[in-house]
Amino acid sequence: MLHELRRELNHALKEPALRWLVLIAFSLSTIALLIGALTISHQKDMVLRLEAAVTAERLLTIKDKTDPGDIAYNLFHLTFDPPTDLAFMALGQRNERPWLHRLRMLALEGQIHETNDSNPEILILGQLDFTFFLSVLVPLIIISLLFDIEGRERREGRYELICAASPLGSRVFHIRAAVKSLLLTAAIILPFIAAAISNNLTILAFLSVLGLIFFQIVLWVIFCRIVTCIIPEAVTAALSLVTLWLLLTVLTPIIGKTAVENSLPVPNGGTILLTQRETVNAAWDLPKETTMDAFIHIYPEWKAQATINRPFEWKWYYAFQEMGDQAAQPKSWALYQGMTDRHEAMALVALLSPALFIERAMTELAGTDVLQHLRYVRCARAFHADLRHFYYPYLFNEKAMSENDLAQLPEFEPCAI
Amino acid sequence: MNFRIAYIIARDEWRYWLRSRLSVAALVAASILIVAALISTITQVQTERTTRENFQAEAINTFESQPARHPHRMIHYGHYVFRTPAPLSVIDLGVDAAAGTVMFLEGHRQNSAVFTPNYSSANAGQLAELSPAFAYQVLTPLLLIILGFASISRERESATETLLYSISVAPLELWMGKIIALSGAALMSLLPLSLGLGLAISAGEHAGVAAYMLSGYALYLLTWVFIITAVSSSCQASSTALTLLLAGWIFFCIVISPVASGIASTGGAYEGKVVSDIAVQQALRGSGDGHNEADPAFDQFKMQLLQQYNVESIESLPINIRGMISKNAEEKQTQILNRFSDRRMEAARTQSRIVYWFGLLSPALALKNFSMNVAGTSLSEYQRFQHQAENVRFDFVQRLNNLHAEQLSYSDDINRSKDHQSEQRTRISPVHWKMLQPVAHHEDNEQERVSESLPHFIMLFFWCVFGAIWSVTRATRGAANAA
């Protein structure tokens, strides 16, 4: 057995096709990890620079100001979703869905849906991160590596001879496939190990990704073995395998996506925006008591200070901003619920598509899927609420803000996964 | 060259396909996929168009039916523009899924287009897009490979190639026959595309632009026909030809796009809107608050007005100074805002230009860039939408500022917080609210679309010429091998 292994290893190493494929796998794995690492370090760097810029802006904005309404109107705060340690392996939805906002105390529904306006042409081309490499490209490399193992020997007329010469019989080709796959696995995993060490991945994260890599490789090696055993002719086997890849990687997800989206409609963003604007703007024309009564219903503690005597008072202004949010929020939550439902429904599709399964597992581990986006949005909304609750005592007691008061301003803390 | 012989060889090739289960299965599957892609995209585009157009009509309607108000309130009330899909997006959705669909327009600010269709869509991986463009860029080449990988190598394996040459068939005639056969399949596959283009023409697209788009796709498929035949005639074994062709397909159609986008985006040239917004805030500091006529930033402007109208005090101006200041401030602000948004858009275009160069490495990417640009679903068209939205915004805000300056008396304006009568007089009639400009249609910029897609068309042309030359050389040299 050991002898067979050594012989197959020597044999494989001499094969130019295998050398090329292993080299390609190694380079793609490295490039994918590098692109991911560069993207994430760019994002981290951007957060740091923005934090500094926002702090500098804050000092200039609050200079000589004491009116809490005025300060709250002008002061922007940065909220963001910092990339996890594993994000470089699965960039996921980070570019598609905003992970960075500049918020102030105005109605949140008018701000939270703002985007960073990424270049859509770049977005639709996709990204070559490790997840794309593993879920889409690795199967193709495995197919190229394994489709011709028996077929070639048959064409050359050596098939029977090899089977007869080996104590394992025709099972010697399993050994050959295993040896080739192991070499490929090494080429894929080595760059990953280097990246894992330089990024200080936790053992758990490391083993989880390793598990997914093995899962994908073993699965496709099995597919290849089954197909090449059923279809002895190499060309037909190769085409069948590519068709299988197309079916599992492209068609199943598309059909699943179409079905899921049709069965789980979500509210259109346009409705959220229009509702929010109508309620916020209508408040200018409403009797001020109507707004304040609704406000006091939620915040009874400000009942005594809720009478508005002048034509414009900040507390009334911020009260109707929040009332506008209250009106639009159910629609936003329905949208978020719809997105969650769609994500969960796609789990069923992922059972039929290894590529989608890998992508979902990787983005979940890396915290770059839609659920993490929604977690971040909840976090940013909670911060906005903190901000309001911080200012309300100043606004309702009409108390000027001192430097000490401003030092107490809530700071955004990213929520842990 | 005798074309009759070439035609006989082509007919024989077609007959061979019909006898081969694999070829028939591939043909049927590909036809179903292309037709399904076309139908699903048409439905999707139609639904999106109706939804967005309805929202747009609603947005205009609510703006115009607002009650009598102070004009500055209408500036803050704002307006929405919705991005409607171009007629040719039934062929190529392009950036639609990743670009914002609605933009809120208000005074003193430029907002981003929000709610991309991808925002709430179910994530199905990067390759899950079934548009006709995807079917032609990625799937049809695979069909052509399946049909054609063995076209010449098969004759060689079964030793019929030498036989053909011995009965005075020239190598180029054999090659031409195979090219005709494979081009026939490519031409057939273009039928659904022509149908889709016909639909786009009936929806208002120019026939010339549609024909231009069709010729781009035809060039692309022809490139593949040449490449496939070239590889098939350079290989001794069909299996080698298939392996090489599949490797080429993976490289051209699957790998290059994300590599190009990765390289373009890690260049770090494009920072996005949040960074730009902070820079805007810094630049705007000190430019004056248009709500505050006492802001010293407007002292000079006030002096100018007094001189122009030859009066002593702002009270005796024939126009309302508050409206004038608001208008002046908006203009200054907009200049600064545009400076930053232009810079941002230029950075995005730089990013895309990097991707465009990668078209030299892959005909599939060249076609993708060509198709998007000619369809009006590219970054350029998206930026045109952003520009138009900004024009609509600036236009209605300044019209309202004019109304503020001309229709409202200054004394009413400053007393409206204290005096109910004055407040009532500062509300102007809703007849004025019918002022919104529409956003122009995609069909109106066919010249831009054609010129933007032209470099990609040239790239495709070069790919095709390169394929043809390679293919011819291989065919003649391959024949020498066989003999």
Side-chain angles (χ1 to χ4, degrees):
Chain A
M1 177 80 181
L2 214 64
H3 168 75
E4 300 279 321
L5 259 177
R6 196 173 310 135
R7 195 193 62 194
E8 287 302 329
L9 189 66
N10 283 332
H11 175 78
L13 286 175
K14 277 184 205 130
E15 210 181 304
L18 176 120
R19 281 196 233 155
W20 274 109
L21 281 169
V22 166
L23 184 69
I24 288 172
F26 181 81
S27 329
L28 283 174
S29 176
T30 312
I31 293 171
L33 288 165
L34 279 179
I35 287 182
L38 276 173
T39 309
I40 292 301
S41 86
H42 182 64
Q43 291 181 356
K44 284 184 176 161
D45 181 53
M46 188 155 93
V47 169
L48 286 179
R49 274 185 298 131
L50 283 175
E51 272 187 318
V54 167
T55 316
E57 272 301 291
R58 166 181 305 182
L59 291 175
L60 290 170
T61 308
I62 59 178
K63 202 170 158 228
D64 305 327
K65 284 201 172 93
T66 54
D67 181 353
D70 189 21
I71 292 174
Y73 185 87
N74 286 298
L75 211 53
F76 284 93
H77 303 262
L78 198 67
T79 65
F80 57 94
D81 180 24
T84 62
D85 291 340
L86 205 59
F88 76 100
M89 300 203 62
L91 301 170
Q93 311 286 302
R94 278 180 80 79
N95 291 331
E96 291 269 0
R97 303 197 170 98
W99 55 273
L100 182 69
H101 287 96
R102 235 168 119 242
L103 300 179
R104 53 176 167 167
M105 216 180 91
L106 301 189
L108 182 65
E109 295 295 331
Q111 306 178 68
I112 195 79
H113 306 295
E114 279 283 302
T115 68
N116 199 26
D117 203 23
S118 306
N119 181 350
E121 270 187 13
I122 298 291
L123 292 181
I124 58 158
L125 289 178
Q127 40 204 2
L128 185 81
D129 54 0
F130 192 80
T131 302
F132 180 76
F133 168 68
L134 182 63
S135 60
V136 174
L137 301 180
V138 163
L140 290 169
I141 298 173
I142 295 176
I143 293 173
S144 339
L145 195 68
L146 301 183
F147 81 94
D148 204 17
I149 291 190
E150 281 111 330
R152 184 173 157 204
E153 305 301 348
R154 282 207 181 90
R155 279 198 309 277
E156 315 262 317
R158 290 189 304 234
Y159 181 79
E160 268 74 26
L161 188 71
I162 291 173
C163 291
S166 165
L168 295 169
S170 67
R171 273 174 303 170
V172 70
F173 291 105
H174 292 321
I175 303 276
R176 184 170 289 185
V179 167
K180 286 185 165 186
S181 314
L182 280 176
L183 287 172
L184 181 74
T185 309
I188 294 169
I189 283 180
L190 280 178
F192 163 61
I193 292 176
I197 292 170
S198 70
N199 284 279
N200 284 323
L201 286 196
T202 61
I203 294 290
L204 189 67
F206 177 77
L207 291 179
S208 312
V209 176
L210 208 60
L212 286 171
I213 297 175
F214 280 125
F215 165 78
Q216 177 78 331
I217 293 177
V218 168
L219 185 75
W220 280 93
V221 169
I222 292 176
F223 281 153
C224 287
R225 294 307 297 154
I226 294 175
V227 171
T228 44
C229 286
I230 299 174
I231 306 169
E233 212 253 316
V235 165
T236 323
L239 286 175
S240 312
L241 282 165
V242 171
T243 311
L244 183 69
W245 173 86
L246 205 63
L247 212 61
L248 295 183
T249 312
V250 180
L251 296 180
T252 309
I254 290 177
I255 294 168
K257 176 188 162 100
T258 315
V260 164
E261 287 181 352
N262 282 332
S263 62
L264 297 169
V266 295
N268 190 294
T271 349
I272 298 172
L273 295 185
L274 292 174
T275 310
Q276 189 260 354
R277 174 183 70 165
E278 290 314 312
T279 38
V280 167
N281 278 285
W284 286 94
D285 291 330
L286 285 177
K288 297 192 169 60
E289 299 79 54
T290 315
T291 306
M292 295 317 283
D293 285 350
F295 184 80
I296 281 162
H297 192 69
I298 309 173
Y299 296 98
E301 62 267 38
W302 301 119
K303 197 170 174 150
Q305 290 94 330
T307 328
I308 309 295
N309 299 317
R310 279 159 287 164
F312 180 87
E313 285 185 38
W314 281 115
K315 57 186 172 189
W316 164 70
Y317 180 77
Y318 288 112
F320 77 64
Q321 298 281 329
E322 179 164 357
M323 292 304 105
D325 275 348
Q326 300 274 353
Q329 243 171 35
K331 291 194 167 62
S332 282
W333 290 117
L335 174 68
Y336 297 151
Q337 188 57 48
M339 286 158 71
T340 313
D341 292 345
R342 284 178 168 187
H343 179 78
E344 275 159 12
M346 286 306 281
L348 288 175
V349 182
L351 290 180
L352 301 173
S353 161
L356 189 56
F357 178 80
I358 298 275
E359 158 145 2
R360 287 172 63 94
M362 288 290 288
T363 49
E364 192 182 333
L365 282 172
T368 50
D369 59 355
V370 62
L371 297 182
Q372 173 62 19
H373 167 74
L374 296 176
R375 244 176 257 133
Y376 158 68
V377 167
R378 272 197 292 277
C379 189
R381 285 173 177 269
F383 171 71
H384 190 263
D386 287 349
L387 212 54
R388 280 187 272 115
H389 299 151
F390 170 78
Y391 279 112
Y392 284 156
Y394 295 99
L395 291 167
F396 280 85
N397 297 325
E398 294 181 25
K399 189 174 156 229
M401 293 182 91
S402 67
E403 267 179 45
N404 266 341
D405 296 330
L406 283 167
Q408 307 295 316
L409 260 173
E411 288 286 333
F412 174 76
E413 282 294 330
C415 302
I417 295 184
Chain B
M1 186 190 299
N2 189 337
F3 276 97
R4 220 180 61 81
I5 294 181
Y7 176 68
I8 291 170
I9 290 170
R11 214 178 45 192
D12 211 56
E13 184 77 5
W14 288 328
R15 217 176 282 145
Y16 174 82
W17 291 348
L18 291 180
R19 279 203 307 270
S20 143
R21 269 210 322 233
L22 184 71
S23 306
V24 173
L27 273 169
V28 171
S31 316
I32 292 176
L33 277 177
I34 294 175
V35 173
L38 186 64
I39 293 174
S40 83
T41 313
I42 290 173
T43 350
Q44 192 190 336
V45 168
Q46 227 107 47
T47 326
E48 279 291 309
R49 186 196 307 282
T50 324
T51 316
R52 294 186 206 168
E53 279 175 355
N54 286 346
F55 270 120
Q56 187 64 76
E58 190 189 333
I60 293 175
N61 191 29
T62 43
F63 187 93
E64 288 177 348
S65 56
Q66 288 303 302
R69 262 198 194 138
H70 191 287
H72 199 78
R73 280 280 320 287
M74 288 306 279
I75 290 180
H76 285 283
Y77 180 73
H79 176 46
Y80 288 91
V81 283
F82 285 80
R83 189 171 54 78
T84 49
L88 280 176
S89 51
V90 296
I91 305 296
D92 192 342
L93 285 166
V95 302
D96 184 74
T101 50
V102 48
M103 197 191 264
F104 179 47
L105 312 177
E106 57 182 326
H108 332 320
R109 279 175 66 77
Q110 288 179 349
N111 296 307
S112 62
V114 296
F115 289 114
T116 65
N118 270 352
Y119 182 73
S120 54
S121 71
N123 174 37
Q126 292 187 18
L127 292 180
E129 186 211 316
L130 194 64
S131 70
F134 179 78
Y136 284 108
Q137 284 154 22
V138 178
L139 303 180
T140 315
L142 198 58
L143 166 76
L144 295 178
I145 290 175
I146 293 175
L147 293 177
F149 75 95
S151 60
I152 292 178
S153 56
R154 187 183 66 234
E155 309 277 2
R156 190 164 298 160
E157 279 173 327
S158 54
T160 41
E161 193 190 17
T162 344
L163 197 68
L164 283 168
Y165 297 152
S166 68
I167 54 168
S168 79
V169 171
L172 271 183
E173 283 162 357
L174 175 66
W175 173 81
M176 188 45 114
K178 302 297 184 182
I179 293 280
I180 292 175
L182 210 49
S183 308
L187 209 62
M188 276 254 302
S189 76
L190 285 174
L191 270 180
L193 179 69
S194 318
L195 279 178
L197 288 172
L199 198 78
I201 293 172
S202 71
E205 186 54 75
H206 291 258
V209 176
Y212 175 55
M213 190 177 198
L214 184 67
S215 63
Y217 276 91
L219 265 184
Y220 172 70
L221 293 184
L222 195 59
T223 307
W224 271 105
V225 168
F226 285 134
I227 292 176
I228 291 165
T229 316
V231 172
S232 185
S233 58
S234 1
C235 292
Q236 295 297 322
S238 300
S239 61
T240 324
L242 180 67
T243 316
L244 285 176
L245 285 168
L246 285 180
W249 175 76
I250 294 168
F251 179 78
F252 287 155
C253 297
I254 311 285
V255 177
I256 275 291
S257 295
V259 169
S261 95
I263 288 173
S265 59
T266 47
Y270 184 71
E271 300 261 50
K273 188 152 188 300
V274 178
V275 173
S276 161
D277 279 351
I278 292 178
V280 167
Q281 195 187 3
Q282 286 164 350
L284 283 177
R285 177 160 293 117
S287 70
D289 173 7
H291 300 100
N292 178 11
E293 60 175 284
D295 195 316
F298 303 117
D299 286 350
Q300 206 196 340
F301 178 65
K302 271 190 260 183
M303 292 296 293
Q304 237 174 25
L305 278 179
L306 293 179
Q307 266 172 8
Q308 189 188 334
Y309 288 95
N310 201 17
V311 286
E312 290 296 309
S313 67
I314 49 176
E315 286 79 9
S316 39
L317 279 170
I319 38 147
N320 181 353
I321 183 91
R322 285 191 164 187
M324 292 305 286
I325 284 184
S326 183
K327 188 181 168 190
N328 178 265
E330 191 70 38
E331 197 180 322
K332 282 203 285 186
Q333 256 178 358
T334 303
Q335 275 168 7
I336 295 173
L337 288 170
N338 282 343
R339 198 169 78 222
F340 283 93
S341 70
D342 286 348
R343 203 180 287 171
R344 205 154 47 81
M345 287 188 195
E346 179 53 35
R349 283 198 295 275
T350 309
Q351 238 183 2
S352 287
R353 272 196 291 270
I354 298 176
V355 170
Y356 292 166
W357 281 110
F358 276 86
L360 292 174
L361 289 183
S362 153
L365 187 56
L367 175 71
K368 193 180 191 126
N369 295 328
F370 164 78
S371 168
M372 224 164 36
N373 276 292
V374 74
T377 53
S378 62
L379 175 74
S380 314
E381 185 81 357
Y382 177 57
Q383 293 192 339
R384 272 197 285 278
F385 163 75
Q386 290 176 312
H387 276 303
Q388 280 172 5
E390 170 54 22
N391 290 342
V392 173
R393 182 194 81 84
F394 188 65
D395 178 73
F396 88 80
V397 169
Q398 292 306 61
R399 280 171 199 250
L400 286 164
N401 278 327
N402 281 337
L403 289 171
H404 188 179
E406 288 156 12
Q407 306 272 326
L408 266 61
S409 87
Y410 179 64
S411 64
D412 284 341
D413 210 11
I414 52 173
N415 289 321
R416 75 189 141 102
S417 324
K418 297 167 221 147
D419 175 33
H420 183 68
Q421 295 293 319
S422 307
E423 202 274 339
Q424 285 300 315
R425 279 197 297 271
T426 58
R427 290 171 180 256
I428 61 169
S429 152
V431 292
H432 295 291
W433 305 156
K434 284 198 192 306
M435 55 163 57
L436 296 171
Q437 268 184 2
V439 173
H441 284 285
H442 302 273
E443 301 89 73
D444 301 337
N445 40 41
E446 85 270 14
Q447 272 177 356
E448 284 98 328
R449 287 187 280 132
V450 168
S451 67
E452 279 154 5
S453 57
L454 198 61
H456 309 295
F457 188 81
I458 295 171
M459 265 189 218
L460 278 172
F461 183 75
F462 274 119
W463 269 105
C464 196
V465 170
F466 160 77
I469 294 172
W470 186 38
S471 196
V472 171
T473 353
R474 281 289 143 186
T476 38
R477 203 181 298 162
N481 286 346

